[in-house]
Amino acid sequence: QSGQLRLRVLVKIFTRNREVVLCAAGTAVALLGLGLVYKYNVRRPEKKFTRVGVVTQLLLHPMKSGKAVLVETAECLRMGLKYGELRDRHWLVITEDGHMVTGRQQPRLVLVSLSCEGGQLCLNGPQMEELRVPLQQSNNAVVDCRVFSIDVQGRDCGDDVSNWLTRYLESDKTVRLVHYEPHLKAQRPSEKEPLFPKDEKVAYPDAAPIMLMSEASVRDLNTRLNKDVSVFQFRPSIVVNDCEAFTEDTWDHIEIGQVELKRVVGCGRCLFTTVDPETGIITS
């Protein structure tokens, strides 16, 4: 569902209308999967970079398994993309005992949009009235929760949000929403994948902060499917074009503007890629 970026510098990156070029250096063994997981580049020899593509889309998924937000610019931070008050995968739906709830169990979560306006958290979903609550609720409890096998924490977003999500999902069990704050316990991707640095931290992604993939890879995949899929089903952070299908599997070091990235591992795919982002229905 997600991949990661670690960035040496905090800069803004722009989508195609700003014509940001993607450059790569070096070669690497190809990895399976449509997505690549990246980390901050730490001290590498000088390499000659070659233009390999153009950034065409930037996407944030503020709520894990929620609706994507397309943005024209984004700040690249150590824990993922940021746009205004929105941070990628910094909100998480959980059960009352702290286990994550995702589109794998509740595919209609992909239709829920989360935004922030004027200090308020806003939730919208089909056949639901918009809900607005204060974004900062410092008196709410900090909750221990788990993303797969990794322990993490989040600030509970309150009963109104819990009731809204429980009604929307028509769940017989109460669900709640938590928000990651900088001082809370984060995930350590190295606990799942030793190739990540031990000081790497993320909020609620499956592994690391950003995933990159190409439009060409999705087009190639569609030639072998009975029904086309879209890039949105793979939930990337950075989408590129003007490259060959799956060539991103060979990019070892990448520059986007002033941002330097280094590939860590390929991004594993799961059942979630079969959830239609327009209908919230799992397709075969």
Side-chain angles (χ1 to χ4, degrees), residues 163-198:
N163 293 336
W164 190 96
L165 284 168
T166 303
R167 284 190 291 110
Y168 170 74
L169 295 176
E170 299 178 348
S171 175
D172 57 352
K173 295 184 178 179
T174 299
V175 297
R176 306 195 70 84
L177 185 70
V178 295
H179 176 219
Y180 178 80
E181 297 175 353
H183 62 281
L184 300 181
K185 182 177 182 179
Q187 295 187 82
R188 300 276 181 176
S190 60
E191 294 182 29
K192 299 178 186 176
E193 174 50 70
L195 291 175
F196 283 102
K198 294 189 181 300

Side-chain angles (χ1 to χ4, degrees), residues 38-208:
Y38 290 87
K39 70 178 182 65
Y40 285 92
N41 180 30
V42 180
R43 288 192 178 277
R44 59 171 176 79
E46 288 299 319
K47 294 178 181 286
K48 182 179 179 180
F49 279 76
T50 303
R51 182 189 186 280
V52 294
V54 174
V55 175
T56 56
Q57 294 185 86
L58 300 173
L59 298 105
L60 278 80
H61 301 85
M63 185 177 76
K64 188 175 181 70
S65 290
K67 193 178 183 70
V69 179
L70 278 76
V71 297
E72 291 189 359
T73 68
E75 292 182 76
C76 296
L77 306 179
R78 288 185 65 90
M79 295 180 73
L81 296 185
K82 178 179 184 291
Y83 179 77
E85 295 290 340
L86 295 180
R87 298 284 298 269
D88 191 79
R89 295 173 175 92
H90 271 50
W91 283 264
L92 174 70
V93 180
I94 60 170
T95 59
E96 286 195 294
D97 60 358
H99 287 86
M100 70 175 183
V101 178
T102 73
R104 300 168 183 85
Q105 306 90 28
Q106 293 284 359
R108 290 181 69 244
L109 273 179
V110 302
L111 305 179
V112 176
S113 64
L114 184 153
S115 60
C116 299
E117 297 177 11
Q120 291 188 311
L121 176 71
C122 309
L123 288 176
N124 282 279
Q127 287 79 56
M128 297 289 290
E129 292 186 2
E130 180 181 68
L131 177 69
R132 289 176 174 252
V133 298
L135 179 60
Q136 303 297 332
Q137 300 191 50
S138 57
N139 292 327
N140 288 4
V142 170
V143 178
D144 293 325
C145 41
R146 291 176 71 83
V147 175
F148 294 107
S149 60
I150 306 299
D151 293 325
V152 65
Q153 291 181 316
R155 176 83 63 184
D156 191 277
C157 292
D159 291 340
D160 289 343
V161 173
S162 172
N163 293 336
W164 190 96
L165 284 168
T166 303
R167 284 190 291 110
Y168 170 74
L169 295 176
E170 299 178 348
S171 175
D172 57 352
K173 295 184 178 179
T174 299
V175 297
R176 306 195 70 84
L177 185 70
V178 295
H179 176 219
Y180 178 80
E181 297 175 353
H183 62 281
L184 300 181
K185 182 177 182 179
Q187 295 187 82
R188 300 276 181 176
S190 60
E191 294 182 29
K192 299 178 186 176
E193 174 50 70
L195 291 175
F196 283 102
K198 294 189 181 300
D199 64 346
E200 179 85 342
K201 297 192 300 183
V202 294
Y204 306 129
D206 284 3

Side-chain angles (χ1 to χ4, degrees), residues 220-231:
D220 183 276
L221 175 64
N222 283 332
T223 65
R224 288 171 278 128
L225 298 177
N226 294 325
K227 181 181 178 182
D228 284 357
V229 296
S230 73
V231 70

Side-chain angles (χ1 to χ4, degrees), residues 5-21:
L5 283 177
R6 295 186 68 198
L7 311 175
R8 283 186 71 186
V9 287
L10 307 184
V11 301
K12 289 189 177 181
I13 55 180
F14 302 84
T15 49
R16 189 174 207 164
N17 59 342
R18 304 293 182 91
E19 199 64 19
V20 167
V21 173

